[in-house]
Amino acid sequence: MTKKDVLQPVDADVRRSAKTFLRTARHAALATIDPASGIPMASRISVASDSRGCPLFLISQLSGHFGALESDPRASVLLGDPGRGDPLAHPRITVFGHARQVSDNSRTRLRARFLARHPKAELYVDLADFAFWRLEIEGASFNGGFGKAYQLTGEDLLAPTDPDLEEMEAGVVAHMNEDHRDAIALYAQQGADHTEGPWTLACVDLEGLDLTSSDRAARVWFDPPLATAEELRPRLVAMAKRARAVTSN
């Protein structure tokens, strides 16, 4: 008997849906390999993402998965909220690859990204036994619900980066949250179909914006993506102008 292939073809909409999962997730199940027994073990973690979309997490050296990753960096994270009713009817994605501890030269930038998603982590983020890890994505299994299974590559999920944008990100986020909260509200309403706020800007990358409101997160996509950091300001101005025109009609 021939086994039926349940995987569906991957297109631009599937890639964007999967990327949205990565950008908006606040928690995940991290699976590592126990160095003593070789048995997989899973634990819940808080997550954010770097500018490429790789999962970023903060864990203590006292945890079992810290030592497991030092012994064997192969890992996966399961993202997605089960919601009401049958949990298998709700979308989820498992991304897998190798986890790497974040080096000192990028820690400040990634620290800001993580705290933008998890402000209460400021209580322990700088304790000596905590460190940031990043899962370098090699592939993913994305399930959008019954009959919607996809296999994705790292290329499907990872975004391009611009060092200049990464360097200016903290200043852009601070400026927008201090002086342009009205524009952020418009981005949330027109770009992510969210009206209840207040919303703040958490992160920015070449493909879009990450917004937060209390425990909620939203992704606003640039269409088309930015090519360089220099395109960010005029794009934000144009998006706000277009959103105001829509809301005034």
Side-chain angles (χ1 to χ4, degrees):
M1 181 177 178
T2 304
K3 184 178 179 180
K4 181 180 179 181
D5 187 2
V6 299
L7 296 177
Q8 303 297 309
V10 174
D11 58 20
D13 289 339
V14 172
R15 294 186 188 94
R16 177 163 291 190
S17 294
K19 287 183 175 184
T20 299
F21 259 79
L22 295 176
R23 296 291 189 178
T24 58
R26 299 187 67 254
H27 63 86
L30 168 68
T32 58
I33 300 172
D34 180 73
S37 65
I39 296 175
M41 60 179 183
S43 180
R44 178 176 292 174
I45 56 170
S46 298
V47 292
S49 65
D50 70 0
S51 58
R52 295 178 300 161
C54 288
L56 175 71
F57 47 97
L58 176 69
I59 55 177
S60 168
Q61 295 176 4
L62 303 177
S63 65
H65 39 274
F66 197 107
L69 291 175
E70 287 186 313
S71 176
D72 189 333
R74 291 177 297 171
S76 64
V77 294
L78 169 64
L79 309 155
D81 293 313
R84 296 182 179 180
D86 186 347
L88 298 183
H90 296 274
R92 64 270 189 193
I93 185 170
T94 298
V95 293
F96 53 86
H98 287 69
R100 311 293 184 193
Q101 193 169 338
V102 171
S103 60
D104 291 340
N105 60 350
S106 62
R107 188 182 190 280
T108 299
R109 174 170 47 81
L110 296 179
R111 178 185 184 276
R113 275 186 156 257
F114 190 86
L115 290 179
R117 303 300 305 276
H118 304 282
K120 292 182 180 179
E122 193 162 9
L123 295 172
Y124 53 84
V125 64
D126 295 320
L127 296 180
D129 65 304
F130 277 84
F132 284 108
W133 290 74
R134 170 173 36 209
L135 183 67
E136 301 287 350
I137 298 176
E138 297 173 12
S141 174
F142 179 41
N143 193 312
F146 290 122
K148 299 178 180 179
Y150 309 91
Q151 195 72 31
L152 295 96
T153 67
E155 186 177 353
D156 288 323
L157 295 172
L158 296 176
T161 59
D162 183 338
D164 291 336
L165 184 57
E166 291 180 337
E167 184 70 24
M168 63 190 285
E169 180 181 24
V172 170
V173 169
H175 172 67
M176 292 297 295
N177 287 329
E178 291 170 5
D179 299 333
H180 299 289
R181 296 293 286 270
D182 57 335
I184 295 172
L186 290 169
Y187 302 151
Q189 180 178 352
Q190 297 298 320
D193 198 27
H194 289 287
T195 55
E196 296 182 3
W199 290 92
T200 60
L201 177 61
C203 309
V204 59
D205 56 82
L206 290 176
E207 291 190 334
L209 309 172
D210 292 337
L211 309 180
T212 59
S213 178
S214 186
D215 290 338
R216 295 179 297 158
R219 177 70 173 175
V220 177
W221 293 93
F222 294 143
D223 285 316
L226 306 179
T228 66
E230 287 73 18
E231 295 181 6
L232 176 62
R233 185 180 183 280
R235 181 68 63 86
L236 292 178
V237 171
M239 288 169 57
K241 183 178 180 180
R242 184 166 59 250
R244 288 191 180 97
V246 171
T247 56
S248 64
N249 292 335

